[in-house]
Amino acid sequence: MVSIAYFYTDVLKTMSQNQLSIRVPAHELQILDRYSRETKRTKTDIIREFIRSLEIASKTLDVKADSSGASSKRVDSFVSL
């Protein structure tokens, strides 16, 4: 149990060092607000999950590029929620 507490503290220290500020149109903020209410999750949690999904999508694109014999250049694309 102690190791979990230390891990959690380390995560909080790391997370508190970074802040992201974005500007979005009113209709996009309304979408995020509605999704946040419907899922009973914070907007921060939703944005973090989306960012993590970009890493997974990027790895998937790299695997597809490697298996097709194409260049291993990173492919940029949009990922939707």
Side-chain angles (χ1 to χ4, degrees), residues 6-67:
Y6 285 120
F7 175 74
Y8 184 71
T9 302
D10 289 343
V11 169
L12 287 179
K13 285 179 186 176
T14 302
M15 289 173 41
S16 67
Q17 294 177 3
N18 301 303
Q19 181 175 349
L20 175 65
S21 177
I22 62 170
R23 295 175 193 219
V24 296
H27 72 280
E28 290 179 357
L29 184 57
Q30 289 171 349
I31 292 168
L32 183 58
D33 285 335
R34 183 177 58 239
Y35 188 79
S36 176
R37 282 191 311 273
E38 290 173 357
T39 60
K40 295 181 173 50
R41 295 168 56 203
T42 65
K43 289 176 257 188
T44 299
D45 184 45
I46 294 165
I47 298 299
R48 282 186 190 136
E49 180 181 8
F50 178 72
I51 292 170
R52 287 188 299 268
S53 76
L54 295 174
E55 182 178 30
I56 293 166
S58 177
K59 288 178 183 177
T60 301
L61 290 173
D62 287 344
V63 168
K64 286 181 181 176
D66 288 344
S67 66

